[in-house]
Amino acid sequence: MLTPFLITIIIYQITDFCKHFATTITYVYADAIGGEYTATVPTDAGTYYVKAIAAGNENLIGAESAPISFTIAKASVTIEGANDTYTKVYDTKEYTITGVTASNGEALTVVITKNGATVEKIIDAGTYTVTFSIEESANYLAAEKSVTVTVTAAENKDVVITSQGATYGDLVSVLQLPTSAIGTWSIKGADATTTVGNAGINTFTAVFTPATGNYNSREVEITVTVAQKRINAPTISANYREQVFTGATLTSGLTNAEGYVVTDNGAVNVGTHTVTVALVSN
């Protein structure tokens, strides 16, 4: 097969010859060596054949060259307008990459994957790979470009009351925590039996646990002022304050309760019976 350089030399020589002898030359083309030759110059990729035809005149007999093959190679395509990486914070909205085109103007195929699986949209937090591609066609080579999109988790914006009050003996469940649609709030390290502690200033940590990976966890310190608990003094009913001798041991009927201890040894004989109620110190 003749190279383009040699074809150029041959055509130049034929043209120069025709100029010298005052004749004309035309070129005809075909897509097969034995095909139909026309003056239409090929533009699509492929292998073609060209012949030079010299017109005859009063001094020359017309002549036709042997076919010479030449190839128009497929053009390369570049994918333009795509960055290597993209980053956004999760906001419940779909994310799309715009402005990406193929240099030949043809439509691109877009494929999105996350953790190795194909997905339809970029929404949830995580790392995505977006591949733009164009298939090989009659005149263009295939092209592909992959980019990375990172969606980071959003911050929880619930308002937490950081200064609260409670009473000695209360469970931590009395503390006010936000009600969230995207996760749950709890007191760090507490269970159903955890109290707010002794009277005074106590500190607890409120913890937000997200329901999905679209939000970050969060901790907020809560200061709790714990008040002393008022204890109601026990009351001895009239039936017990004045009793009649029976020969049996009689008591006040009082028992220990929250905040105090009762000492009642009982009495048999007629007289004054002493019952002691002592507050318990915390």
Side-chain angles (χ1 to χ4, degrees):
M1 179 184 294
L2 294 177
T3 66
F5 178 69
L6 290 176
I7 292 174
T8 301
I9 293 175
I10 291 170
I11 292 174
Y12 173 79
Q13 290 174 339
I14 294 173
T15 303
D16 188 60
F17 172 83
C18 292
K19 286 180 179 179
H20 181 74
F21 288 99
T23 188
T24 59
I25 185 170
T26 57
Y27 300 96
V28 290
Y29 306 88
D31 57 8
I33 193 168
E36 180 183 357
Y37 286 81
T38 69
T40 302
V41 179
T43 56
D44 291 335
T47 299
Y48 300 91
Y49 297 85
V50 59
K51 292 191 297 185
I53 300 175
N57 57 28
E58 65 274 11
N59 297 314
L60 296 173
I61 298 174
E64 181 179 296
S65 71
I68 298 173
S69 67
F70 66 96
T71 299
I72 300 176
K74 292 183 179 183
S76 297
V77 178
T78 56
I79 295 175
E80 303 168 337
N83 299 330
D84 291 331
T85 59
Y86 297 82
T87 302
K88 66 158 291 186
V89 177
Y90 173 76
D91 60 1
T92 74
K93 298 181 178 64
E94 180 182 357
Y95 181 74
T96 57
I97 300 173
T98 59
V100 181
T101 59
S103 59
N104 64 349
E106 294 186 9
L108 291 169
T109 298
V110 182
V111 176
I112 306 171
T113 59
K114 181 184 181 185
N115 299 326
T118 301
V119 296
E120 293 184 359
K121 301 176 181 179
I122 299 174
I123 297 180
D124 293 334
T127 300
Y128 299 79
T129 299
V130 182
T131 301
F132 300 91
S133 64
I134 187 169
E135 294 183 354
E136 184 173 351
S137 63
N139 292 314
Y140 295 96
L141 297 172
E144 181 179 292
K145 181 175 178 61
S146 294
V147 304
T148 300
V149 178
T150 302
V151 180
T152 59
E155 298 299 328
N156 171 277
K157 299 184 182 301
D158 292 337
V159 176
V160 180
I161 301 174
T162 57
S163 181
Q164 301 189 36
T167 302
Y168 172 76
D170 286 346
L171 298 174
V172 293
S173 57
V174 303
L175 301 180
Q176 298 181 57
L177 297 177
T179 299
S180 176
I182 58 175
T184 57
W185 284 92
S186 61
I187 298 298
K188 188 174 185 178
D191 58 27
T193 63
T194 304
T195 68
V196 295
N198 294 332
I201 305 297
N202 298 324
T203 301
F204 297 88
T205 300
V207 178
F208 171 73
T209 303
T212 68
N214 291 326
Y215 294 90
N216 290 318
S217 58
R218 179 185 173 196
E219 293 189 358
V220 180
E221 187 175 277
I222 297 177
T223 300
V224 181
T225 301
V226 181
Q228 293 177 322
K229 184 173 184 177
R230 180 177 296 277
I231 300 298
N232 296 319
T235 301
I236 301 176
S237 69
N239 292 334
Y240 289 105
R241 285 199 298 269
E242 296 181 2
Q243 299 190 48
V244 178
F245 173 78
T246 62
T249 300
L250 301 176
T251 65
S252 64
L254 297 179
T255 58
N256 296 340
E258 182 182 15
Y260 60 85
V261 175
V262 176
T263 302
D264 182 359
N265 295 322
V268 175
N269 297 325
V270 174
T272 301
H273 172 46
T274 301
V275 177
T276 302
V277 178
L279 293 177
V280 177
S281 176
N282 289 296

